[in-house]
Amino acid sequence: MGDLVLDDEDEDAEVIINTDVLHEVLCRVDGVTLARAACAGSLLNSVSSSEKIWERVCNQHWPSTRDPEVKAIIASLGGFRKFYGACIPLIVNKECSVFDTSDTAIRDSMEWFDDEQDMVEELLDTSLNDFIFIVDLIFRDRPIISQVLHGIPGTGAVHGWFSNCPFRIDLINQCYEEGETEDLSEMAACTDRNAMIIDGLPLVLSIEKERKDGHVWKALCEDINLSWILINKKTKQMANLASWRPLGGQRHWPGDKDFLVLFGSVLPAHRLLASRVVQCSVVLKCRLLLNSDRVEKGERTSSLMVTELSMQLEDMAGMPLKGLHSLLVLKEVLGSSKSMNHPNVLKVYGQYVKAQSELKDRKHRIGGHVDVAYVIGGILSLLSLCYFML
C-alpha cells in the first residue's frame, strides 16, 4: 500500500479544515492562553487574531461588552483585542513600591506641584464628555450590574463648580434606615431601577449567627468581581481602575444587615502630587434581605441588595480629591504601568495601606505634641499674667 499523495487543491482543503478546527478550539480558551497561542506559529497567530474570538473572550470577562452600545465604543477604540490587552492588566506603581512616611511626606502629602493656573491650562483641551466609564459587577459568573456612563454624571464644564468640589461618581446610591422594610418585593419597588439583587448566598437564620459564622461575608468576598474601566475616547486610551477582586471591607457596617466591600487601585501621581500616589476607592455596599429566601439546587439561600456602588479618588490622608485634581490624575493614569501579576498589585496596595496607617499615626502624634505645647504655653502665659498682677 503506497503513500497517499494530495494535490494542491487537497492541500488547500486540509488547511481550511485545520483553520476551522483551530478557530473552534481557540474560541474556548481564555485571553492569556489566546495571547500565548499567537506566539506559537504563523497559523495560530493568524487564527488567534480574529476579532470574533476576542469578542467572545471579552464577553465572558465583561458582560457589558455584549451590549451594542459598548460594541460600538470598542470598535471605535481599535477592537476587542486591543480592549482586552489594555483592560485586563491592573494598574501598578512600579516606580513607587515603597511609600514615604517621613516628616517631609507628612508636610507635603497634600501639596500639589503645579499651581492652579498650570492645571487649568493643562486641561484646556479636555472635556468631561471625553471620558467613558464601563462598569461590570459579577457574582459567580452572573452579571449583577453592567452599565456605561458617558461623561461624569451631574457635572457641567471642567472649569465650573466641578473643579473645586470633591470628585465622586455614584453609580447606585440607595439609603435605608434600620427598621425599614426587608421584604424583597417592597424594597425593589421603592429603589432605583439600577439597584440589583445578589442571589445564591448561604442561608441566614439570624444576624447574630451570621455575625459569628460569617458565611455570607466569606461567600461574597470570594465570588464577587468588579471592573471599572476608564476610557478617554479622544486619545483612545483605556485602563481598569478597579482591582477585579476585593481588597478588603467591613461586615455589618453601617448596620447589622449591611456589608461594605472595597475595590480599587493605587494610582500614580508622580508629576502632580508630592506623595506621588492617589488611591482610587471603589465602594460596594449591600444589604441582607432576611425575608427573601430562595431555593436554588434544592437548598434555601439568602439574597443581598446592592445599595451603593461609588468611585472617588483620595490622597494619602484619606481626603477626597477635588474635580480639577481628579481629572489630572485620570489623564495620567491612562498612560501608567500595568501588570498581569495581580498578586503584585495587591502587594503594592498592602504597602500603601500600611504607609497610610503610619502616616496617620505620625500626624496624630505630631498633633498631640502640638496640643500639649499649646496647653503648656497657655499655662505659662497664665502664670506670667498672675505674676505681674501680683
Side-chain angles (χ1 to χ4, degrees):
M1 190 172 183
D3 295 334
L4 179 62
V5 179
L6 300 176
D7 57 24
D8 292 340
E9 184 177 350
D10 290 331
E11 289 177 0
D12 290 339
E14 183 182 6
V15 171
I16 292 173
I17 292 173
N18 286 341
T19 302
D20 291 340
V21 171
L22 282 174
H23 189 279
E24 289 301 314
V25 171
L26 293 177
C27 277
R28 289 164 172 77
V29 302
D30 58 45
V32 175
T33 304
L34 189 60
R36 289 173 178 170
C39 303
S42 59
L43 181 59
L44 280 170
N45 181 273
S46 176
V47 177
S48 62
S49 299
S50 168
E51 270 294 289
K52 287 294 182 183
I53 294 180
W54 284 103
E55 180 177 353
R56 182 177 180 134
V57 170
C58 290
N59 290 167
Q60 292 173 343
H61 203 81
W62 298 285
S64 61
T65 57
R66 297 186 177 96
D67 185 272
E69 180 186 11
V70 179
K71 286 184 180 180
I73 294 171
I74 294 175
S76 69
L77 297 171
F80 285 95
R81 185 177 184 180
K82 181 180 178 182
F83 182 83
Y84 186 92
C87 298
I88 196 64
L90 299 181
I91 298 166
V92 62
N93 272 293
K94 292 183 178 179
E95 302 175 15
C96 201
S97 58
V98 178
F99 300 96
D100 188 6
T101 57
S102 64
D103 292 336
T104 302
I106 293 176
R107 184 176 62 254
D108 298 338
S109 62
M110 296 178 63
E111 179 180 328
W112 290 81
F113 291 144
D114 298 317
D115 60 30
E116 293 293 320
Q117 185 59 38
D118 292 337
M119 295 179 188
V120 170
E121 291 178 358
E122 186 171 340
L123 293 173
L124 283 177
D125 62 341
T126 301
S127 169
L128 296 179
N129 293 324
D130 292 339
F131 295 102
I132 299 174
F133 299 93
I134 300 177
V135 182
D136 285 284
L137 180 66
I138 304 166
F139 181 74
R140 293 177 181 170
D141 298 324
R142 173 181 170 255
I144 307 299
I145 295 173
S146 293
Q147 193 164 336
V148 182
L149 296 178
H150 294 271
I152 299 177
T155 61
V158 172
H159 310 302
W161 61 266
F162 166 78
S163 63
N164 291 309
C165 290
F167 173 82
R168 179 184 173 97
I169 295 177
D170 283 300
L171 197 67
I172 293 176
N173 192 355
Q174 301 294 331
C175 299
Y176 301 102
E177 299 295 335
E178 287 294 320
E180 287 190 9
T181 177
E182 295 174 353
D183 181 75
L184 176 61
S185 59
E186 292 183 22
M187 185 173 277
C190 68
T191 61
D192 186 90
R193 61 184 177 84
N194 292 320
M196 297 295 178
I197 306 298
I198 302 175
D199 294 318
L201 292 156
L203 180 65
V204 176
L205 299 176
S206 70
I207 292 297
E208 289 73 20
K209 186 170 178 59
E210 166 58 25
R211 186 182 292 112
K212 179 181 178 181
D213 300 334
H215 295 317
V216 170
W217 174 250
K218 182 180 179 181
L220 181 64
C221 290
E222 289 180 350
D223 298 324
I224 199 82
N225 298 293
L226 177 67
S227 172
W228 193 299
I229 294 173
L230 166 68
I231 297 172
N232 187 330
K233 63 183 181 182
K234 178 181 289 186
T235 62
K236 299 187 183 301
Q237 293 176 298
M238 300 162 275
N240 188 357
L241 300 177
S243 50
W244 188 244
R245 302 286 300 166
L247 297 172
Q250 290 179 275
R251 296 167 55 184
H252 314 299
W253 188 93
D256 285 340
K257 297 183 286 296
D258 296 299
F259 298 86
L260 183 151
V261 186
L262 177 65
F263 301 83
S265 52
V266 180
L267 308 182
H270 302 108
R271 297 185 306 106
L272 307 171
L273 198 61
S275 62
R276 303 200 301 166
V277 289
V278 166
Q279 180 182 0
C280 175
S281 179
V282 181
V283 174
L284 170 69
K285 289 183 183 178
C286 305
R287 167 156 289 204
L288 183 64
L289 306 176
L290 294 178
N291 299 331
S292 60
D293 300 347
R294 297 163 58 97
V295 178
E296 291 190 7
K297 299 179 181 179
E299 296 183 359
R300 294 174 63 200
T301 63
S302 293
S303 301
L304 289 172
M305 169 168 279
V306 177
T307 58
E308 180 183 323
L309 182 55
S310 63
M311 185 271 282
Q312 69 178 16
L313 305 183
E314 302 171 351
D315 61 25
M316 287 197 73
M319 298 298 294
L321 270 60
K322 59 184 181 180
L324 186 64
H325 295 162
S326 297
L327 286 185
L328 289 166
V329 172
L330 293 179
K331 283 191 66 177
E332 180 176 350
V333 78
L334 288 170
S336 65
S337 301
K338 301 174 187 176
S339 174
M340 288 294 294
N341 187 349
H342 290 191
N344 185 47
V345 175
L346 297 179
K347 179 181 177 182
V348 172
Y349 178 78
Q351 292 173 335
Y352 174 85
V353 172
K354 180 180 179 181
Q356 189 179 48
S357 177
E358 292 176 0
L359 190 64
K360 289 180 179 178
D361 288 344
R362 289 173 65 87
K363 280 187 174 182
H364 180 73
R365 289 197 297 270
I366 291 173
H369 294 158
V370 171
D371 291 341
V372 170
Y374 275 121
V375 171
I376 293 175
I379 293 174
L380 291 176
S381 298
L382 181 61
L383 291 176
S384 300
L385 180 62
C386 293
Y387 174 80
F388 285 112
M389 290 180 65
L390 294 175

